[in-house]
Amino acid sequence: MIFGFLSAAVLVGVGAVFGLLAGGPIGLLIGAVVGLLVGAVFGWAVASAGVYAPDARGIFLFVVDHTWSLLNTVVGAIYLAVHLIFGHSLDRPTSLGSGRVSVVEGVSPRYATTIGTVCAGSNSGIQRHEDVHILQARLLGPLYIPLVLANYVLFTIAPIWLLYHDHTNAPINRFTRYFEIGVYPHVWNEAIAYRIQGTPPR
């Protein structure tokens, strides 16, 4: 329960500070309200699913997620709120003590998506792959999302991956496959995760 309250408080603080920097005293108030809304949802999920175990590992992960990896946690909290708005539900058994908030439904039935510590649409067959993304975010902290986005942009406009792509088994023969079979599995964070678990789409 305490982790949920602390998480909500941190997100309120982030919203307030961002609001203050963007819009002065009025911005502070608006930012704090937005932070409260997102923080209340995320804090409730953390507490009700028992995401962080009450041991040394759980405390360590909580501290990392709310300091060095705070940007990822904030974006993940917004991502979680959107899922819940669309009626998606927490996967409490999978979340319990895992250090991640699991959501049963994903964005797409074909793929799981992990942002920050929020993992949506995963299952036991691909969970290690998704956990790699959580570890990447924790290791790189505020650099993770910018580095992922930069790699997507680079590989979209300058497809260096075409030099080493498996054209025989995964041909790029229509526009949608350029992104799904080409760009997506070759960006650095996905390439690493697929080496640890899973098979890139073909």
Side-chain angles (χ1 to χ4, degrees):
M1 185 69 76
I2 186 66
F3 288 127
F5 284 120
L6 289 174
S7 188
V10 168
L11 293 181
V12 171
V14 168
V17 169
F18 182 78
L20 178 65
L21 294 174
I26 303 260
L28 184 146
L29 181 60
I30 294 170
V33 169
V34 172
L36 177 61
L37 294 173
V38 174
V41 170
F42 190 72
W44 164 80
V46 164
S48 68
V51 169
Y52 297 99
D55 57 16
R57 177 181 177 274
I59 293 169
F60 174 74
L61 293 179
F62 179 87
V63 170
V64 170
D65 291 341
H66 292 79
T67 54
W68 171 245
S69 192
L70 181 58
L71 173 62
N72 304 307
T73 300
V74 169
V75 177
I78 296 167
Y79 177 60
L80 173 65
V82 172
H83 272 284
L84 297 179
I85 287 169
F86 279 93
H88 297 177
S89 52
L90 289 178
D91 185 347
R92 288 181 174 83
T94 304
S95 299
L96 182 63
S98 66
R100 82 176 98 78
V101 178
S102 294
V103 179
V104 175
E105 303 85 356
V107 174
S108 161
R110 295 188 60 196
Y111 298 103
T113 307
T114 299
I115 299 178
T117 59
V118 178
C119 178
S122 188
N123 58 58
S124 59
I126 58 169
Q127 191 58 61
R128 279 182 59 220
H129 175 109
E130 298 306 316
D131 287 343
V132 169
H133 296 319
I134 295 173
L135 178 60
Q136 290 167 338
R138 285 173 172 152
L139 290 174
L140 293 173
L143 303 176
Y144 176 69
I145 291 175
L147 287 173
V148 169
L149 293 176
N151 197 181
Y152 269 101
V153 171
L154 174 64
F155 276 13
T156 297
I157 62 175
I160 302 161
W161 49 268
L162 283 170
L163 298 173
Y164 52 88
H165 178 75
D166 183 357
H167 295 278
T168 303
N169 295 314
I172 309 296
N173 50 20
R174 62 181 183 273
F175 182 73
T176 55
R177 288 179 64 84
Y178 179 84
F179 294 98
E180 185 178 9
I181 312 301
V183 175
Y184 159 72
H186 289 100
V187 293
W188 70 269
N189 64 314
E190 292 296 344
I192 291 170
Y194 276 120
R195 285 187 182 181
I196 291 172
Q197 185 187 44
T199 304
R202 296 193 179 278

